[in-house]
Amino acid sequence: MSFDELFAGLKNGASAQAAGLALGHGGAPPRAVSVRYGSARLRCASLLKPLYAWATARHADAWREYAEPAVRVSSNADTLRLWLGMGPLPILESVRARTGVAWTPSPSDPAWFGSVEVAADEVVTAYAALARAGAMGEPVAAQLLSWMREVPDDQAFGLRDVLPGNVAIKCGWYGGADETCLRTHAVAVLRGSGTSVTVLAALTAQPYLDEKDRTTYRANLATGAAVVDQHEKVAGQLLRGLMATTLLELGGPPNAHWHPLVHCRHE
């Protein structure tokens, strides 16, 4: 399925982005893909949690205690401990120094790590730096990627059915009370031979207009109940399509058992 076909099915008000970067071993030229429909930048807090954990590794006394749940099960509370423990500006400056990607917190709510807005091509650039560091033996980067490979299936939106095996994944999902879209996003890191890596990212914001569904969603969000199934219903197929198509555009085959026109997960 092409990007044009994926974007043709979007509703009015939707946004979707995808990007990919393949860095070869031994000086092979990089390959890059980037597409966008709708908003230029989106909030996708959970995708940035491993990068924030990377930035804080030398500064947090209980780094592993907070970093592992932040990455493996997307714990907001533990991410916030890392974020406030070192401070938003020092964390983002550390990310910039390590990856070349400069992000800024929202001026209206700088204390909340979820306020940072990003683009998909920035996400893959930042993760490529993390992935190459891990491939070259940096212990913290390697540990973060290991935790990403252990993200539970119920937080992976079926991406292990789409992408080749042993993929490192981080996904996120959120819909604010003042938003009419559900934001669902993913990043994946694939290791090749030597230090070669491929990084994929997809960011989506899908309209969520049924008032009954939105009321139920907000109630579940307020009580801490699971809402992943609603994100799967609204954006799961799109997310998988964007990731698989990006990989194909980079020249890599998706999981052989996946077909973009028929594959569907049921929660």
Side-chain angles (χ1 to χ4, degrees):
M1 182 175 287
S2 69
F3 289 121
D4 285 343
E5 291 174 298
L6 289 166
F7 289 162
L10 297 179
K11 298 178 181 178
N12 290 337
S15 292
Q17 299 184 22
L21 182 61
L23 299 175
H25 178 60
R31 301 187 304 280
V33 174
S34 181
V35 294
R36 187 183 79 208
Y37 179 101
S39 298
R41 307 182 73 79
L42 294 169
R43 285 180 289 159
C44 55
S46 289
L47 295 199
L48 308 184
K49 290 173 180 177
L51 298 172
Y52 295 161
W54 193 26
T56 58
R58 298 187 183 94
H59 302 273
D61 292 337
W63 180 80
R64 186 183 182 97
E65 177 184 344
Y66 301 143
E68 182 174 2
V71 174
R72 286 188 66 249
V73 296
S74 210
S75 168
N76 286 335
D78 289 291
T79 305
L80 192 59
R81 291 185 180 98
L82 294 174
W83 180 254
L84 297 180
M86 182 173 170
L89 293 179
I91 286 175
L92 293 174
E93 172 56 27
S94 177
V95 170
R96 185 205 61 77
R98 294 180 180 212
T99 69
V101 179
W103 288 316
T104 58
S106 167
S108 62
D109 192 7
W112 177 236
F113 68 85
S115 68
V116 178
E117 294 187 347
V118 306
D121 56 350
E122 296 171 341
V123 173
V124 298
T125 298
Y127 267 92
L130 175 67
R132 291 297 288 270
M136 290 186 287
E138 183 190 306
V140 170
Q143 180 64 79
L144 291 166
L145 292 163
S146 176
W147 287 332
M148 288 173 63
R149 285 189 285 271
E150 296 170 4
V151 165
D153 285 343
D154 62 2
Q155 293 190 5
F157 288 97
L159 289 176
R160 292 190 176 98
D161 298 333
V162 173
L163 302 175
N166 202 31
V167 60
I169 294 171
K170 186 74 190 78
C171 296
W173 55 96
Y174 193 71
D178 60 339
E179 297 179 280
T180 58
C181 287
L182 293 187
R183 289 180 278 114
T184 317
H185 26 265
V187 64
V189 177
L190 305 167
R191 278 288 307 274
S193 60
T195 59
S196 63
V197 296
T198 298
V199 183
L200 316 169
L203 320 179
T204 72
Q206 291 285 85
Y208 195 56
L209 302 176
D210 184 275
E211 194 59 40
K212 182 178 179 181
D213 286 346
R214 289 174 65 191
T215 299
T216 301
Y217 180 93
R218 291 171 183 171
N220 288 340
L221 203 64
T223 61
V227 294
V228 179
D229 60 333
Q230 292 302 304
H231 287 265
E232 165 60 33
K233 177 181 176 182
V234 170
Q237 189 74 354
L238 173 62
L239 199 69
R240 291 185 289 276
L242 289 171
M243 296 289 273
T245 301
T246 301
L247 182 58
L248 283 170
E249 289 288 330
L250 289 172
N255 188 309
H257 300 295
W258 182 76
H259 191 287
L261 297 179
V262 300
H263 183 81
C264 185
R265 292 176 71 233
H266 299 280
E267 298 293 336

